Amino acid sequence: MAAAKSRRVKNIRDKLEFLGCPHVENVDESWMSELLFKSGEPRLRLIQWLLTRFGHPQLEELLESHQAVLSNLTDSRVGKLLFCANLLGLCHDDDVDLITGVSSKSKQLQFFEDVIDMLMVVDNLSHTYRTAVPATPPADRMLRPKTFGEAVFDACEYIDLLCRQEDLGELFKEKIHLFPPDIEKEFGTKDHENKRSQIPEITDLASLAHQIEMELKKQNKILERLQSE
């Protein structure tokens, strides 16, 4: 258990270093564990850095301002961190212990892993967009508005790069079930295949139509007789 937790902590640290987190520079393993699990100012600063790293203007403004959020917490800073984390789907609106570092270590590890994985996705998509759409367009395009064709071309390049990053075959099932299981099972039976293969002849259909016509005439005469009585 301890070895597994240590690996998870190291993985979190590696990802934070990749994201350029200033709170994990030149720190040892013991300090990293204390940063993640011990209540205090360093931990709150780390959570705030992670949430502002998403680059959402409203989140940054809320976290960096002195504006209070609607909360029954006496610590408005913890309330704002909890409010933002809940907005991102990282915790429930009453998970105060998770923000302050009082909850179980397994729950705290899961929280940090979730928020960092989300940041990795956001960072990856941002890098892909910057690669697909150059920050400095060619000089001739800077002097005139972008044409519709150029806009479509840039969008297609961006989507193409996104598709190349993932195996699209894993996103779609090879077999699509168009019917419920009971109907699909019936389709697979031999009797059903035999019934489907027996296409009626035109003469049989004409004979059946004639029988229906005669029966309708018969019933119509009976109805007329009843109405006349």
Side-chain angles (χ1 to χ4, degrees):
M1 292 292 292
K5 188 191 78 171
S6 179
R7 285 195 299 269
R8 294 174 69 181
V9 171
K10 184 180 183 304
N11 190 33
I12 289 174
R13 177 182 177 176
D14 292 341
K15 290 182 178 180
L16 286 173
E17 289 179 345
F18 176 81
L19 292 170
C21 178
H23 302 285
V24 296
E25 293 180 357
N26 303 320
V27 298
D28 55 21
E29 184 177 350
S30 60
W31 169 248
M32 190 66 204
S33 297
E34 187 173 337
L35 178 64
L36 295 178
F37 303 126
K38 185 178 180 180
S39 302
E41 180 65 20
R43 188 177 187 278
L44 292 178
R45 287 182 180 178
L46 174 61
I47 295 177
Q48 182 169 343
W49 182 87
L50 289 170
L51 295 177
T52 55
R53 185 68 166 70
F54 281 98
H56 197 287
Q58 281 75 16
L59 286 181
E60 293 181 11
E61 182 180 358
L62 176 62
L63 291 171
E64 295 176 0
S65 69
H66 298 287
Q67 178 183 358
V69 297
L70 184 60
S71 173
N72 57 359
L73 299 176
T74 55
D75 190 339
S76 62
R77 184 183 182 190
V78 173
K80 288 189 289 186
L81 292 174
L82 176 61
F83 179 76
C84 294
N86 175 249
L87 281 181
L88 294 172
L90 295 167
C91 63
H92 297 290
D93 57 0
D94 57 351
D95 280 337
V96 182
D97 292 345
L98 184 61
I99 301 299
T100 57
V102 182
S103 60
S104 64
K105 290 185 177 181
S106 60
K107 189 173 182 179
Q108 294 185 61
L109 271 176
Q110 190 62 53
F111 169 77
F112 281 111
E113 287 174 343
D114 289 343
V115 65
I116 291 172
D117 286 343
M118 289 175 64
L119 276 176
M120 295 289 287
V121 172
V122 172
D123 187 78
N124 193 24
L125 290 177
S126 299
H127 174 73
T128 302
Y129 180 78
R130 290 193 298 268
T131 305
V133 183
T136 305
D140 61 328
R141 289 178 59 179
M142 294 180 63
L143 300 177
R144 58 178 173 79
K146 184 185 296 186
T147 65
F148 179 76
E150 290 171 343
V152 172
F153 180 79
D154 289 343
C156 290
E157 273 196 333
Y158 176 52
I159 297 298
D160 184 60
L161 281 175
L162 286 179
C163 294
R164 291 176 185 274
Q165 285 189 331
E166 301 293 339
D167 183 7
L168 297 183
E170 297 179 358
L171 302 178
F172 303 98
K173 294 183 178 180
E174 296 181 358
K175 184 178 180 181
I176 300 177
H177 298 276
L178 300 178
F179 303 97
D182 55 337
I183 297 181
E184 284 194 346
K185 184 177 180 181
E186 182 181 349
F187 284 169
T189 60
K190 186 175 181 180
D191 292 340
H192 181 78
E193 293 296 330
N194 292 335
K195 291 178 181 178
R196 293 181 61 186
S197 62
Q198 295 175 358
I199 301 176
E201 298 290 340
I202 297 296
T203 54
D204 295 337
L205 293 176
S207 175
L208 182 60
H210 179 70
Q211 293 178 14
I212 294 175
E213 181 183 5
M214 297 302 295
E215 183 65 25
L216 287 175
K217 288 181 179 180
K218 179 181 177 181
Q219 296 298 329
N220 191 36
K221 289 181 179 180
I222 295 174
L223 180 60
E224 290 176 352
R225 187 172 65 251
L226 291 174
Q227 289 177 344
S228 62
E229 292 179 355

PDB file of all heavy atoms in Angstrom, residues 4 8 10 26 31 48 55 65 87 92 94 102 116 126 128 140 155 170 174 196 205 217 224 228:
ATOM      1  N   ALA A   4       2.513   1.742  -3.336  1.00  0.00           N
ATOM      2  CA  ALA A   4       1.563   2.230  -4.338  1.00  0.00           C
ATOM      3  C   ALA A   4       1.293   3.716  -4.147  1.00  0.00           C
ATOM      4  O   ALA A   4       1.234   4.479  -5.121  1.00  0.00           O
ATOM      5  CB  ALA A   4       0.263   1.434  -4.245  1.00  0.00           C
ATOM      6  N   ARG A   8       2.116   6.894  -6.713  1.00  0.00           N
ATOM      7  CA  ARG A   8       1.101   7.876  -7.123  1.00  0.00           C
ATOM      8  C   ARG A   8       1.566   9.298  -6.821  1.00  0.00           C
ATOM      9  O   ARG A   8       1.349  10.218  -7.616  1.00  0.00           O
ATOM     10  CB  ARG A   8      -0.222   7.575  -6.430  1.00  0.00           C
ATOM     11  CG  ARG A   8      -0.850   6.261  -6.876  1.00  0.00           C
ATOM     12  CD  ARG A   8      -2.091   5.925  -6.074  1.00  0.00           C
ATOM     13  NE  ARG A   8      -3.194   6.832  -6.369  1.00  0.00           N
ATOM     14  CZ  ARG A   8      -4.382   6.750  -5.771  1.00  0.00           C
ATOM     15  NH1 ARG A   8      -4.596   5.828  -4.838  1.00  0.00           N
ATOM     16  NH2 ARG A   8      -5.343   7.602  -6.089  1.00  0.00           N
ATOM     17  N   LYS A  10       4.699  10.286  -6.664  1.00  0.00           N
ATOM     18  CA  LYS A  10       5.757  10.599  -7.635  1.00  0.00           C
ATOM     19  C   LYS A  10       5.161  10.937  -9.001  1.00  0.00           C
ATOM     20  O   LYS A  10       5.633  11.850  -9.693  1.00  0.00           O
ATOM     21  CB  LYS A  10       6.714   9.415  -7.763  1.00  0.00           C
ATOM     22  CG  LYS A  10       7.897   9.687  -8.692  1.00  0.00           C
ATOM     23  CD  LYS A  10       8.811   8.488  -8.786  1.00  0.00           C
ATOM     24  CE  LYS A  10      10.032   8.809  -9.650  1.00  0.00           C
ATOM     25  NZ  LYS A  10       9.670   9.290 -10.999  1.00  0.00           N
ATOM     26  N   ASN A  26      12.568  21.708  -6.795  1.00  0.00           N
ATOM     27  CA  ASN A  26      13.641  21.383  -5.835  1.00  0.00           C
ATOM     28  C   ASN A  26      13.100  20.945  -4.474  1.00  0.00           C
ATOM     29  O   ASN A  26      13.570  21.381  -3.422  1.00  0.00           O
ATOM     30  CB  ASN A  26      14.575  22.588  -5.654  1.00  0.00           C
ATOM     31  CG  ASN A  26      15.187  23.046  -6.962  1.00  0.00           C
ATOM     32  OD1 ASN A  26      15.560  22.230  -7.801  1.00  0.00           O
ATOM     33  ND2 ASN A  26      15.292  24.352  -7.144  1.00  0.00           N
ATOM     34  N   TRP A  31       8.668  16.308   1.488  1.00  0.00           N
ATOM     35  CA  TRP A  31       7.971  17.587   1.378  1.00  0.00           C
ATOM     36  C   TRP A  31       6.808  17.486   0.394  1.00  0.00           C
ATOM     37  O   TRP A  31       5.768  18.119   0.583  1.00  0.00           O
ATOM     38  CB  TRP A  31       8.935  18.678   0.943  1.00  0.00           C
ATOM     39  CG  TRP A  31       8.244  19.955   0.545  1.00  0.00           C
ATOM     40  CD1 TRP A  31       8.163  20.499  -0.691  1.00  0.00           C
ATOM     41  CD2 TRP A  31       7.502  20.835   1.403  1.00  0.00           C
ATOM     42  NE1 TRP A  31       7.428  21.652  -0.674  1.00  0.00           N
ATOM     43  CE2 TRP A  31       7.010  21.883   0.608  1.00  0.00           C
ATOM     44  CE3 TRP A  31       7.208  20.825   2.769  1.00  0.00           C
ATOM     45  CZ2 TRP A  31       6.244  22.919   1.123  1.00  0.00           C
ATOM     46  CZ3 TRP A  31       6.442  21.857   3.284  1.00  0.00           C
ATOM     47  CH2 TRP A  31       5.969  22.890   2.472  1.00  0.00           C
ATOM     48  N   GLN A  48      -4.949  26.448  -5.444  1.00  0.00           N
ATOM     49  CA  GLN A  48      -5.302  27.674  -6.159  1.00  0.00           C
ATOM     50  C   GLN A  48      -4.547  27.759  -7.484  1.00  0.00           C
ATOM     51  O   GLN A  48      -5.108  28.161  -8.507  1.00  0.00           O
ATOM     52  CB  GLN A  48      -4.999  28.893  -5.293  1.00  0.00           C
ATOM     53  CG  GLN A  48      -5.389  30.213  -5.963  1.00  0.00           C
ATOM     54  CD  GLN A  48      -5.338  31.388  -5.006  1.00  0.00           C
ATOM     55  OE1 GLN A  48      -5.311  31.206  -3.792  1.00  0.00           O
ATOM     56  NE2 GLN A  48      -5.319  32.597  -5.545  1.00  0.00           N
ATOM     57  N   GLY A  55      -7.013  28.537 -16.885  1.00  0.00           N
ATOM     58  CA  GLY A  55      -7.044  29.695 -17.761  1.00  0.00           C
ATOM     59  C   GLY A  55      -8.418  30.273 -17.999  1.00  0.00           C
ATOM     60  O   GLY A  55      -8.615  31.037 -18.947  1.00  0.00           O
ATOM     61  N   SER A  65      -9.636  37.628  -6.428  1.00  0.00           N
ATOM     62  CA  SER A  65     -10.298  38.803  -5.871  1.00  0.00           C
ATOM     63  C   SER A  65     -10.646  38.572  -4.410  1.00  0.00           C
ATOM     64  O   SER A  65     -10.492  37.477  -3.870  1.00  0.00           O
ATOM     65  CB  SER A  65     -11.570  39.111  -6.669  1.00  0.00           C
ATOM     66  OG  SER A  65     -12.537  38.099  -6.443  1.00  0.00           O
ATOM     67  N   LEU A  87     -17.495  23.533  -9.327  1.00  0.00           N
ATOM     68  CA  LEU A  87     -17.912  23.921 -10.677  1.00  0.00           C
ATOM     69  C   LEU A  87     -17.253  23.042 -11.737  1.00  0.00           C
ATOM     70  O   LEU A  87     -17.859  22.723 -12.760  1.00  0.00           O
ATOM     71  CB  LEU A  87     -17.557  25.387 -10.940  1.00  0.00           C
ATOM     72  CG  LEU A  87     -18.472  26.457 -10.350  1.00  0.00           C
ATOM     73  CD1 LEU A  87     -17.963  27.837 -10.732  1.00  0.00           C
ATOM     74  CD2 LEU A  87     -19.906  26.284 -10.825  1.00  0.00           C
ATOM     75  N   HIS A  92     -17.819  17.495  -4.373  1.00  0.00           N
ATOM     76  CA  HIS A  92     -19.160  17.944  -4.022  1.00  0.00           C
ATOM     77  C   HIS A  92     -19.086  19.330  -3.387  1.00  0.00           C
ATOM     78  O   HIS A  92     -18.016  19.788  -2.964  1.00  0.00           O
ATOM     79  CB  HIS A  92     -19.817  16.953  -3.057  1.00  0.00           C
ATOM     80  CG  HIS A  92     -20.021  15.591  -3.652  1.00  0.00           C
ATOM     81  ND1 HIS A  92     -20.945  15.340  -4.643  1.00  0.00           N
ATOM     82  CD2 HIS A  92     -19.408  14.406  -3.403  1.00  0.00           C
ATOM     83  CE1 HIS A  92     -20.907  14.063  -4.974  1.00  0.00           C
ATOM     84  NE2 HIS A  92     -19.980  13.469  -4.244  1.00  0.00           N
ATOM     85  N   ASP A  94     -20.017  20.216  -0.612  1.00  0.00           N
ATOM     86  CA  ASP A  94     -19.794  20.189   0.833  1.00  0.00           C
ATOM     87  C   ASP A  94     -18.492  19.478   1.215  1.00  0.00           C
ATOM     88  O   ASP A  94     -18.291  19.125   2.376  1.00  0.00           O
ATOM     89  CB  ASP A  94     -20.974  19.511   1.536  1.00  0.00           C
ATOM     90  CG  ASP A  94     -21.221  18.095   1.030  1.00  0.00           C
ATOM     91  OD1 ASP A  94     -20.597  17.712   0.019  1.00  0.00           O
ATOM     92  OD2 ASP A  94     -22.041  17.375   1.636  1.00  0.00           O
ATOM     93  N   VAL A 102      -8.209  17.576   5.350  1.00  0.00           N
ATOM     94  CA  VAL A 102      -8.565  16.772   6.518  1.00  0.00           C
ATOM     95  C   VAL A 102      -9.090  15.397   6.114  1.00  0.00           C
ATOM     96  O   VAL A 102      -9.066  14.460   6.904  1.00  0.00           O
ATOM     97  CB  VAL A 102      -9.614  17.520   7.378  1.00  0.00           C
ATOM     98  CG1 VAL A 102      -9.962  16.734   8.634  1.00  0.00           C
ATOM     99  CG2 VAL A 102      -9.094  18.901   7.754  1.00  0.00           C
ATOM    100  N   ILE A 116      -5.192  17.223 -12.020  1.00  0.00           N
ATOM    101  CA  ILE A 116      -3.979  17.280 -12.842  1.00  0.00           C
ATOM    102  C   ILE A 116      -4.218  16.619 -14.195  1.00  0.00           C
ATOM    103  O   ILE A 116      -3.753  17.116 -15.232  1.00  0.00           O
ATOM    104  CB  ILE A 116      -2.803  16.623 -12.099  1.00  0.00           C
ATOM    105  CG1 ILE A 116      -2.397  17.490 -10.900  1.00  0.00           C
ATOM    106  CG2 ILE A 116      -1.609  16.426 -13.022  1.00  0.00           C
ATOM    107  CD1 ILE A 116      -1.369  16.851  -9.994  1.00  0.00           C
ATOM    108  N   SER A 126      -4.420  22.750 -25.942  1.00  0.00           N
ATOM    109  CA  SER A 126      -3.901  24.088 -26.232  1.00  0.00           C
ATOM    110  C   SER A 126      -2.663  24.007 -27.110  1.00  0.00           C
ATOM    111  O   SER A 126      -2.490  24.785 -28.051  1.00  0.00           O
ATOM    112  CB  SER A 126      -3.572  24.819 -24.924  1.00  0.00           C
ATOM    113  OG  SER A 126      -4.725  24.964 -24.129  1.00  0.00           O
ATOM    114  N   THR A 128      -1.979  21.569 -29.176  1.00  0.00           N
ATOM    115  CA  THR A 128      -2.421  21.149 -30.510  1.00  0.00           C
ATOM    116  C   THR A 128      -2.968  22.320 -31.299  1.00  0.00           C
ATOM    117  O   THR A 128      -2.700  22.479 -32.491  1.00  0.00           O
ATOM    118  CB  THR A 128      -3.502  20.060 -30.382  1.00  0.00           C
ATOM    119  OG1 THR A 128      -2.968  18.964 -29.646  1.00  0.00           O
ATOM    120  CG2 THR A 128      -3.947  19.577 -31.745  1.00  0.00           C
ATOM    121  N   ASP A 140       1.096  38.066 -46.022  1.00  0.00           N
ATOM    122  CA  ASP A 140       0.037  38.439 -46.952  1.00  0.00           C
ATOM    123  C   ASP A 140      -1.342  38.266 -46.336  1.00  0.00           C
ATOM    124  O   ASP A 140      -2.285  38.978 -46.673  1.00  0.00           O
ATOM    125  CB  ASP A 140       0.143  37.608 -48.235  1.00  0.00           C
ATOM    126  CG  ASP A 140      -0.015  36.121 -47.966  1.00  0.00           C
ATOM    127  OD1 ASP A 140       0.403  35.689 -46.875  1.00  0.00           O
ATOM    128  OD2 ASP A 140      -0.546  35.413 -48.836  1.00  0.00           O
ATOM    129  N   ALA A 155      -9.477  25.201 -39.964  1.00  0.00           N
ATOM    130  CA  ALA A 155     -10.297  24.361 -39.091  1.00  0.00           C
ATOM    131  C   ALA A 155     -10.064  22.880 -39.383  1.00  0.00           C
ATOM    132  O   ALA A 155      -9.970  22.060 -38.459  1.00  0.00           O
ATOM    133  CB  ALA A 155     -11.773  24.712 -39.261  1.00  0.00           C
ATOM    134  N   GLU A 170     -10.873   3.204 -31.208  1.00  0.00           N
ATOM    135  CA  GLU A 170     -11.236   2.871 -29.838  1.00  0.00           C
ATOM    136  C   GLU A 170     -12.451   3.653 -29.361  1.00  0.00           C
ATOM    137  O   GLU A 170     -13.033   3.333 -28.333  1.00  0.00           O
ATOM    138  CB  GLU A 170     -10.052   3.155 -28.903  1.00  0.00           C
ATOM    139  CG  GLU A 170      -8.824   2.298 -29.212  1.00  0.00           C
ATOM    140  CD  GLU A 170      -7.676   2.612 -28.283  1.00  0.00           C
ATOM    141  OE1 GLU A 170      -7.847   3.528 -27.443  1.00  0.00           O
ATOM    142  OE2 GLU A 170      -6.625   1.963 -28.384  1.00  0.00           O
ATOM    143  N   GLU A 174     -17.196  -1.651 -32.882  1.00  0.00           N
ATOM    144  CA  GLU A 174     -17.161  -2.268 -34.204  1.00  0.00           C
ATOM    145  C   GLU A 174     -18.534  -2.776 -34.624  1.00  0.00           C
ATOM    146  O   GLU A 174     -18.882  -2.772 -35.794  1.00  0.00           O
ATOM    147  CB  GLU A 174     -16.155  -3.419 -34.211  1.00  0.00           C
ATOM    148  CG  GLU A 174     -14.718  -2.961 -33.963  1.00  0.00           C
ATOM    149  CD  GLU A 174     -13.758  -4.121 -33.992  1.00  0.00           C
ATOM    150  OE1 GLU A 174     -14.230  -5.269 -34.162  1.00  0.00           O
ATOM    151  OE2 GLU A 174     -12.551  -3.895 -33.857  1.00  0.00           O
ATOM    152  N   ARG A 196     -37.740 -15.073 -43.932  1.00  0.00           N
ATOM    153  CA  ARG A 196     -37.314 -13.906 -44.696  1.00  0.00           C
ATOM    154  C   ARG A 196     -36.978 -14.281 -46.140  1.00  0.00           C
ATOM    155  O   ARG A 196     -37.131 -13.478 -47.054  1.00  0.00           O
ATOM    156  CB  ARG A 196     -36.090 -13.265 -44.036  1.00  0.00           C
ATOM    157  CG  ARG A 196     -36.380 -12.645 -42.684  1.00  0.00           C
ATOM    158  CD  ARG A 196     -35.139 -12.026 -42.102  1.00  0.00           C
ATOM    159  NE  ARG A 196     -34.623 -10.965 -42.950  1.00  0.00           N
ATOM    160  CZ  ARG A 196     -33.475 -10.333 -42.734  1.00  0.00           C
ATOM    161  NH1 ARG A 196     -32.711 -10.686 -41.716  1.00  0.00           N
ATOM    162  NH2 ARG A 196     -33.072  -9.373 -43.540  1.00  0.00           N
ATOM    163  N   LEU A 205     -50.226 -13.281 -54.214  1.00  0.00           N
ATOM    164  CA  LEU A 205     -50.694 -11.996 -53.691  1.00  0.00           C
ATOM    165  C   LEU A 205     -51.993 -11.570 -54.361  1.00  0.00           C
ATOM    166  O   LEU A 205     -52.908 -11.045 -53.707  1.00  0.00           O
ATOM    167  CB  LEU A 205     -49.611 -10.925 -53.898  1.00  0.00           C
ATOM    168  CG  LEU A 205     -48.316 -11.089 -53.084  1.00  0.00           C
ATOM    169  CD1 LEU A 205     -47.315 -10.012 -53.469  1.00  0.00           C
ATOM    170  CD2 LEU A 205     -48.611 -11.016 -51.592  1.00  0.00           C
ATOM    171  N   LYS A 217     -67.082  -7.535 -50.125  1.00  0.00           N
ATOM    172  CA  LYS A 217     -68.376  -7.412 -50.795  1.00  0.00           C
ATOM    173  C   LYS A 217     -69.455  -8.160 -50.020  1.00  0.00           C
ATOM    174  O   LYS A 217     -70.589  -7.680 -49.875  1.00  0.00           O
ATOM    175  CB  LYS A 217     -68.275  -7.952 -52.220  1.00  0.00           C
ATOM    176  CG  LYS A 217     -67.473  -7.063 -53.159  1.00  0.00           C
ATOM    177  CD  LYS A 217     -67.445  -7.646 -54.565  1.00  0.00           C
ATOM    178  CE  LYS A 217     -66.673  -6.742 -55.522  1.00  0.00           C
ATOM    179  NZ  LYS A 217     -66.632  -7.308 -56.900  1.00  0.00           N
ATOM    180  N   GLU A 224     -75.838  -3.808 -45.700  1.00  0.00           N
ATOM    181  CA  GLU A 224     -76.945  -3.143 -46.387  1.00  0.00           C
ATOM    182  C   GLU A 224     -78.280  -3.787 -46.023  1.00  0.00           C
ATOM    183  O   GLU A 224     -79.295  -3.097 -45.850  1.00  0.00           O
ATOM    184  CB  GLU A 224     -76.717  -3.199 -47.897  1.00  0.00           C
ATOM    185  CG  GLU A 224     -75.565  -2.321 -48.370  1.00  0.00           C
ATOM    186  CD  GLU A 224     -75.329  -2.483 -49.859  1.00  0.00           C
ATOM    187  OE1 GLU A 224     -75.955  -3.378 -50.469  1.00  0.00           O
ATOM    188  OE2 GLU A 224     -74.490  -1.724 -50.412  1.00  0.00           O
ATOM    189  N   SER A 228     -81.553  -1.973 -44.108  1.00  0.00           N
ATOM    190  CA  SER A 228     -82.878  -1.877 -44.740  1.00  0.00           C
ATOM    191  C   SER A 228     -83.981  -2.451 -43.867  1.00  0.00           C
ATOM    192  O   SER A 228     -85.164  -2.162 -44.074  1.00  0.00           O
ATOM    193  CB  SER A 228     -82.862  -2.582 -46.095  1.00  0.00           C
ATOM    194  OG  SER A 228     -82.573  -3.964 -45.922  1.00  0.00           O
TER     195      SER A 228
END
